[in-house]
């Protein structure tokens, strides 16, 4: 198993290029110096940073250093690395950019020299051209994360891109996806997705791994580690097109490679799944991380809008799943509580009656043996919601209870303004966001499909 | 030209089944009785509704009535319609549900009798099983709309579904899509999409028409009117799958029909475009309604994240457009302001430097003759945005100015939390939301593609 623990829980840290003025690295410096992590600022000129004694050189620090975070400009990075080698650090996070990804020979050469040092010294290095990592468990971060705004959970992110890692966490803070660890890799001169998949495979805080890949330099090892994975790995791989592939090169100096090879590589491993974009990646990860695996292909749809129900049917069929055929007794049970004009032949369209009919309908549907997963589409607009002040926490409590009881995955989709989404989210809090709420029907159904496939794979392994 | 003016600007209104208790129809009653529209409540038992004298029957009202809104239960609807006929109204909006869409013979028969009355009397009827319409110009509505929250503009919606019409407007209020008129059609016993396309084609407040269709009963006439359209018509047609098609029947009693026929019908008309879902529908409509048509296929991408730039490249190629090859002089101009580590070979990836490099880059890019449209991807997360308080209004002002000057469409994509989206939107207000802001790169690029095609069609017509 790959030892990278000093990256995630460093006993001592040096920030080389620590900054006390608002620029890149400022918030990292501020956060770590004010945290419980033993942190030493290193700065060429300043004797003090934010009230902490600063050292001219990492070698001046009168303490062992496990982890160095390098924030200095590209041309000063090589010397900083050499100093770290002399100090005997275990790991280095190089956040500085401006190396091979520029395509400029001079900067590519600097990167090559760093690679040599990594090989010789066995010091593990993350980056350059990244923002390092965050551990949501002990709240260590080499970048900036508002831990009050984000949720601790069991989804890990491995992202090749720097800025995107932060933007992803920011987006997911609305969706209430809970994270274990987030790692950005940049140009991957040493630590790469193979190392991290291996590490996270044994990380008991991680249940689902999301991976954003621009290209790999170790195809064979990636194949090997995917074969060994005990957890689902959800992958977005960009650079399918020619211009996209060129853009990859100038972004993280990776070779995007032939998309078909990646497609085949992912398909070949039943615990790896390819997703289309970042929104889909995290919505699907959220369902994987909180819901039981569906035991079959039948999806039940309860909706407040027939139109959105129809859209869901199209999507269910597109994904090779089936709209459930409810048992006669289930339909009879639902009929007793619904007005005569409510339609329950396909999707269960509660229309504006849901405040009085939701509970009985949900009970009847989830107890039906034909049902393997449930999609609930909520679309009461802001106006009536404000007027009625419809309480939806009981919906969540019931859904969570029945989902546990019958061991069936449930997803709640909201169609409407963000105000409505937040209104619903406030109630989802009551079940610790363990019923995923999202804006996209197609993502919910994609999750059911992939989770069904994953369940089939696990079942076959057992036999 | 179809005369439907009395639906959109009625001189006098009767609400049959007016409600002064919080249930379906309550907010409509409240809104209209408190508006400047001359409105009479009709109620079987109550002598007064919200301080207004109520009438037992529409025929008791001592005034001519142009428009009746029917809110009574399905079994009372037929009598209400007969009363309206006797009164000599011009139009009826039947919001009541529970007719042919139930599949129950009894209710289907009631609907059939209403159809007969419509045919005989020539009274125009919208519905049943709908929520009528909204005119954003004079603020007439037969449903509930918060006019403070929504924007007046030039996008019209024709939606077959009731509830969805409201939910769409609610969603679009975040996206700041400006609407002219929204009409929901329900079971379409009389007024349908053909009538409304004809009407909106001559409505000078409408520039772009969005249409949500479950099925049409007048294929030939739909074809005819699409041929005559002087405006782009953006269409979502659901019910592609078998279960979806069945669901259509029980939703608005339409026949979804063979999807290939609809696909061919839409493709055949160069002013009609098929979109995949509601989010795409309105994002694309927003670009159509506010931006000039691109004169070519070359898209320039300025981004704060290389990864999102790569994703954009893939999408550009997928849509048959091209990532622009900037002129050498443009690249030279940009290089002078960018740090050495910024990549400008493909997409222009400003990274964290955008606060100082955006202006010059945007000027250089939009003045380049090779560029036909511009996509800007903003992805600064909440944390640094709060710390820096980065002012983005100048970005919008400049973009709007240059977009006008060079006559090129621009779209701003935000990747991150809704907080960031709102932060950006606050500034978009300064240019009256005439630079569309959206969360989806793919929708922006789809818009460029369809608008390019539409421009080609208009050019060919001129020749």
């Amino acid at each position: 198993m790959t030892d990278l623990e000093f990256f995630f829980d460093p006993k001592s840290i040096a920030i080389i290029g620590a900054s006390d003025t608002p620029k890149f690295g400022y918030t990292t410096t501020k956060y770590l110096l004010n945290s419980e992590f033993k942190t030493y600022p290193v700065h060429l000129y300043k004797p003090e940073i934010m009230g902490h004694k600063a050292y001219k050189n990492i070698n001046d620090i009168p303490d062992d250093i496990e982890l160095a975070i390098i924030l200095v400009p590209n041309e000063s990075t090589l010397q900083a690395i050499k100093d770290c080698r002399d100090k005997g650090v275990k790991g280095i996070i190089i956040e500085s950019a401006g190396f091979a990804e520029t395509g400029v020979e001079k900067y590519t050469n600097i990167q090559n020299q760093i690679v040599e040092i990594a090989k010789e010294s066995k010091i593990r290095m993350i980056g350059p051209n990244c923002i390092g990592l965050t551990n949501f468990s002990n709240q260590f971060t080499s970048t900036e994360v508002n831990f009050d705004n984000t949720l601790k959970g069991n989804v890990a992110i491995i992202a090749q891109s720097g800025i995107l890692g932060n933007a992803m966490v920011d987006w997911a803070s609305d969706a209430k996806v809970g994270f274990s660890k987030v790692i950005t890799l940049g140009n991957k001169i040493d630590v790469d997705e193979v190392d991290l998949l291996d590490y996270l495979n044994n990380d008991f805080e991680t249940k689902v791994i999301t991976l954003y890949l621009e290209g790999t330099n170790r195809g064979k090892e990636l194949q090997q580690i995917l074969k060994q994975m005990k957890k689902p790995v959800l992958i977005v791989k960009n650079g399918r097109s020619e211009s996209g592939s060129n853009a990859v090169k100038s972004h993280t100096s990776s070779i995007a490679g032939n998309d078909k090879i990646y497609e085949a590589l992912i398909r070949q491993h039943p615990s790896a799944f390819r997703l289309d974009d970042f929104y889909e990646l995290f919505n699907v990860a959220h369902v994987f991380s909180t819901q039981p695996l569906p035991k079959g292909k039948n999806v039940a749809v309860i909706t407040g809008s027939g139109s959105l129900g129809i859209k869901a049917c199209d999507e269910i069929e597109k994904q090779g799943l089936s709209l459930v055929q409810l048992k006669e007794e289930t339909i009879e049970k639902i009929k007793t509580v619904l007005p005569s004009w409510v339609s329950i032949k396909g999707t269960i369209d509660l229309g504006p009656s849901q405040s009085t009919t939701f509970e009985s309908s949900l009970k009847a549907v989830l107890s039906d043996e034909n049902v393997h997963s449930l999609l609930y589409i909520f679309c009461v607009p802001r106006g009536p919601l404000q007027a009625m002040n419809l309480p939806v926490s009981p919906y969540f409590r019931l859904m969570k209870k029945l989902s546990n009881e019958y061991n069936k995955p449930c997803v709640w989709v909201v169609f409407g303004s963000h105000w409505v989404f937040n209104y619903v989210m406030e109630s989802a809090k009551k079940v610790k966001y363990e019923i995923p709420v999202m804006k996209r029907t197609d993502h919910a159904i994609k999750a059911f499909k992939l989770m069904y496939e994953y369940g089939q794979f696990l079942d076959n392994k057992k036999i």
Side-chain angles (χ1 to χ4, degrees), chain A:
Chain A
M1 181 194 150
T2 311
D3 179 22
L4 301 171
E5 203 54 29
F6 44 88
F7 280 118
F8 295 100
D9 192 16
K11 291 195 184 61
S12 54
I13 304 158
I15 304 179
I16 304 181
S19 167
D20 56 0
T21 50
K23 61 173 187 172
F24 185 65
Y26 169 74
T27 43
T28 303
T29 305
K30 191 172 158 192
Y31 175 78
L32 285 177
L33 286 179
N34 288 300
S35 74
E36 286 174 14
F37 297 97
K38 205 202 285 178
T39 307
Y40 299 92
V42 176
H43 196 282
L44 263 185
Y45 316 110
K46 296 191 178 171
E48 202 186 277
I49 300 256
M50 296 176 187
H52 291 250
K53 177 178 169 42
Y55 299 86
K56 269 202 187 335
N57 191 294
I58 187 172
N59 288 293
D60 299 339
I61 300 173
D63 193 357
D64 284 348
I65 297 294
E66 249 193 15
L67 177 67
I69 300 172
I70 295 185
L71 301 170
V72 298
N74 51 357
E75 305 203 10
S76 313
T77 300
L78 184 59
Q79 185 56 49
I81 302 261
K82 286 178 180 166
D83 293 341
C84 290
R85 178 191 53 192
D86 297 344
K87 181 69 178 172
V89 304
K90 289 186 180 170
I92 306 177
I93 297 172
I94 313 167
E95 302 200 11
S96 321
F99 298 92
E101 80 278 14
T102 59
V104 178
E105 203 184 334
K106 178 179 162 192
Y107 302 124
T108 307
N109 283 343
I110 299 179
Q111 179 168 319
N112 290 340
Q113 291 177 65
I114 300 175
V115 170
E116 282 311 307
I117 297 178
K119 276 186 190 156
E120 266 166 34
S121 66
K122 310 273 182 214
I123 298 171
R124 301 308 310 257
M125 300 187 193
I126 292 179
N129 187 20
C130 76
I131 54 166
L133 57 90
T134 301
N135 181 353
F136 284 81
S137 178
N138 63 359
Q139 303 203 339
F140 168 73
T141 182
S142 69
T143 171
E144 46 185 295
V145 173
N146 184 336
F147 289 105
D148 297 335
N149 251 347
T150 44
L151 216 65
K152 192 186 147 186
N154 51 34
V155 177
I157 305 181
I158 308 171
Q160 197 156 352
S161 165
I163 293 171
L164 191 68
N166 264 1
M168 279 169 173
V169 172
D170 192 36
W171 177 78
S173 66
D174 284 344
K176 302 299 179 193
V177 180
F179 293 111
S180 54
K181 294 178 171 70
V182 177
I183 309 100
T184 69
L185 290 176
N187 295 6
K188 303 194 293 193
I189 56 162
D190 173 31
V191 173
D192 66 3
E193 62 284 351
V194 176
D195 297 305
L196 284 163
L197 284 170
D198 186 23
Y199 176 81
L200 294 170
N201 201 22
N202 296 294
D203 175 35
F204 69 94
E205 282 168 339
T206 298
K207 191 174 156 189
V208 183
I209 300 166
T210 62
L211 169 60
Y212 167 59
L213 201 62
E214 299 197 338
T216 187
N217 307 316
R218 297 202 286 163
K220 216 170 158 186
E221 291 90 341
L222 181 57
Q223 223 164 347
Q224 289 266 307
I225 189 67
L226 283 177
K227 207 186 277 175
Q228 294 163 28
M229 293 309 290
K230 296 170 287 188
K231 304 171 183 184
V233 182
L234 311 180
I235 303 173
V236 167
K237 163 74 178 69
N238 277 348
R240 292 180 192 227
S241 62
E242 202 191 318
S243 57
S245 173
N246 291 337
V248 160
K249 190 147 174 48
S250 62
H251 182 232
T252 50
S253 79
S254 287
I255 307 299
N258 187 327
D259 192 70
K260 282 185 190 134
I261 295 174
Y262 284 94
E263 185 70 29
L265 172 72
I266 297 169
R267 264 182 200 285
Q268 195 183 327
H269 295 97
S271 55
F273 302 95
R274 187 170 187 176
L275 284 306
D276 287 336
D277 61 44
F278 302 118
Y279 297 124
E280 191 180 75
L281 181 68
F282 291 109
N283 278 334
V284 170
H286 198 180
V287 189
F288 259 104
S289 82
T290 57
Q291 301 302 298
L293 299 171
K295 300 283 181 298
K297 292 185 169 188
N298 298 343
V299 184
V301 180
I302 299 181
T303 168
S305 154
S307 313
L308 296 173
I310 294 160
K311 173 80 187 155
C313 291
D314 286 357
E315 203 59 40
I316 287 167
E317 212 153 292
K318 186 177 155 196
Q319 293 296 345
L321 302 177
S322 317
L323 180 72
V324 68
Q325 288 274 12
L326 293 172
K327 288 164 116 176
E328 266 312 312
E329 56 180 278
T330 307
I331 294 178
E332 287 312 314
K333 266 192 243 171
I334 300 177
K335 266 190 180 163
T336 58
V337 299
L338 291 191
S340 64
W341 47 265
V342 166
S343 165
I344 43 171
K345 274 178 296 178
T347 62
I348 299 138
D349 177 7
L350 303 181
S353 76
Q354 48 196 331
S355 61
T356 50
T357 55
F358 177 80
E359 190 180 319
S360 319
S361 305
L362 187 71
K363 278 183 185 164
V365 168
L366 278 176
S367 65
D368 187 320
E369 287 156 19
N370 291 352
V371 172
H372 301 123
S373 56
L374 174 91
L375 176 68
Y376 174 50
I377 306 175
F378 184 86
C379 63
V380 184
R382 179 171 176 164
L385 216 46
Q386 278 175 321
M388 300 184 304
N389 198 19
L390 182 71
V392 291
S393 329
Y395 291 32
F396 275 104
R397 288 213 185 87
L398 184 66
M399 204 182 271
K400 179 72 188 142
K401 182 175 162 279
L402 295 174
S403 166
N404 285 351
E405 192 173 328
Y406 296 109
N407 203 25
K408 294 175 183 176
C410 298
V411 174
W412 184 307
V413 166
V414 172
F415 186 80
S417 60
H418 197 74
W419 189 94
V420 174
F421 185 77
N422 272 346
Y423 182 98
V424 169
M425 267 305 183
E426 269 305 301
S427 296
K429 201 176 178 176
K430 304 282 164 59
V431 295
K432 293 179 190 153
Y433 308 110
E434 283 172 5
I435 297 291
V437 181
M438 57 187 68
K439 295 181 181 176
R440 300 280 299 271
T441 304
D442 49 344
H443 293 176
I445 292 164
K446 183 87 167 261
F448 291 153
K449 183 238 179 103
L450 301 187
M451 287 168 69
Y452 169 68
E453 286 179 1
Y454 189 63
Q456 293 282 95
F457 159 64
L458 294 184
D459 285 351
N460 289 337
K461 262 205 335 197
K462 273 184 225 152
I463 297 162

